[in-house]
Amino acid sequence: MTKQEQTAPGARTYSEVAAYHEAGHAVAALLLGIEVAEVRIDRYRPGNGTTIYRTGPSLWEGYRRPRSAAPSRLACALNRQQRAAVFCLAGPLAEAKLLGVPLRSLGAFGDFEYIHVLLRGSDACQHGEVLPGSEHFFDTAVRRTRGILGQPSIWRAVTEVARELLMWGRLSGDELAVTAQWARAGGRQ
């Protein structure tokens, strides 16, 4: 049995789990006003994937309206750290939703590590150490992200983006936006 054929818990292939993980990041990025350059999974190393976003002020310095898109209420309502936490958690939580478990991740060490870095750089930290209030920040981010992914139109978008990733291996930012928009509209143009 090749690694591609091996399954993750819940009888899902590692590639399928990785596709949902990256689709979660990518769809969340679109909702948060983060411009995605490309999203991909690695067919030769199942379980590996990447969502590449364009650097700029949208994630790090405040909301910036993407080209030809109105700002979402979500993007405007969250501060920089909250947007980054939702973006990071969307992958592991999409994976967990797919597998029917509370919070699990095949390869999200980097996602969780980045949230820890966010906390060290936030007001919830003092001298680089995470203060007790940071647990509330993490729990709030998890609840907010679950709420986003729990919306039927959003989950349809995640599912369709994951399906496309399994078929093609990669989507450009434009292909991602069109696929997500089509899926959120219920498959109607």
Side-chain angles (χ1 to χ4, degrees):
M1 177 181 275
T2 68
K3 189 165 183 153
Q4 179 78 16
E5 295 164 338
Q6 292 174 356
T7 58
R12 304 288 185 161
T13 65
Y14 285 119
S15 293
E16 185 178 10
V17 173
Y20 271 82
H21 181 109
E22 296 308 326
H25 284 310
V27 171
L30 292 175
L31 292 169
L32 296 167
I34 300 167
E35 197 172 336
V36 176
E38 179 180 86
V39 58
R40 64 177 172 228
I41 59 170
D42 189 333
R43 295 178 187 193
Y44 302 105
R45 296 185 324 179
N48 291 316
T50 308
T51 300
I52 303 167
Y53 55 89
R54 298 191 202 289
T55 58
S58 62
L59 182 58
W60 313 118
E61 296 173 16
Y63 179 76
R64 185 189 81 207
R65 183 175 163 173
R67 281 179 270 138
S68 73
S72 73
R73 286 184 305 193
L74 178 67
C76 295
L78 302 178
N79 69 31
R80 174 183 65 87
Q81 290 158 325
Q82 291 166 330
R83 279 195 311 277
V86 167
F87 173 77
C88 289
L89 286 168
L93 287 170
E95 195 177 311
K97 182 172 172 64
L98 172 71
L99 298 173
V101 297
L103 179 60
R104 177 203 174 273
S105 186
L106 180 62
F109 176 78
D111 297 328
F112 295 123
E113 182 65 21
Y114 183 72
I115 291 171
H116 186 72
V117 167
L118 271 176
L119 291 173
R120 278 185 282 166
S122 75
D123 295 337
C125 297
Q126 184 176 11
H127 307 294
E129 295 195 18
V130 178
L131 297 176
S134 63
E135 292 158 8
H136 175 70
F137 174 86
F138 183 80
D139 291 343
T140 300
V142 167
R143 279 193 308 277
R144 182 174 282 129
T145 308
R146 278 194 182 126
I148 293 165
L149 294 175
Q151 296 174 36
S153 66
I154 303 298
W155 189 247
R156 271 195 312 272
V158 170
T159 299
E160 188 60 28
V161 168
R163 191 183 73 72
E164 292 286 312
L165 284 171
L166 286 166
M167 186 182 310
W168 303 108
R170 69 168 291 283
L171 294 171
S172 71
D174 290 338
E175 292 166 333
L176 165 68
V178 167
T179 301
Q181 183 177 19
W182 177 82
R184 286 192 68 197
R188 301 178 301 275
Q189 285 278 340

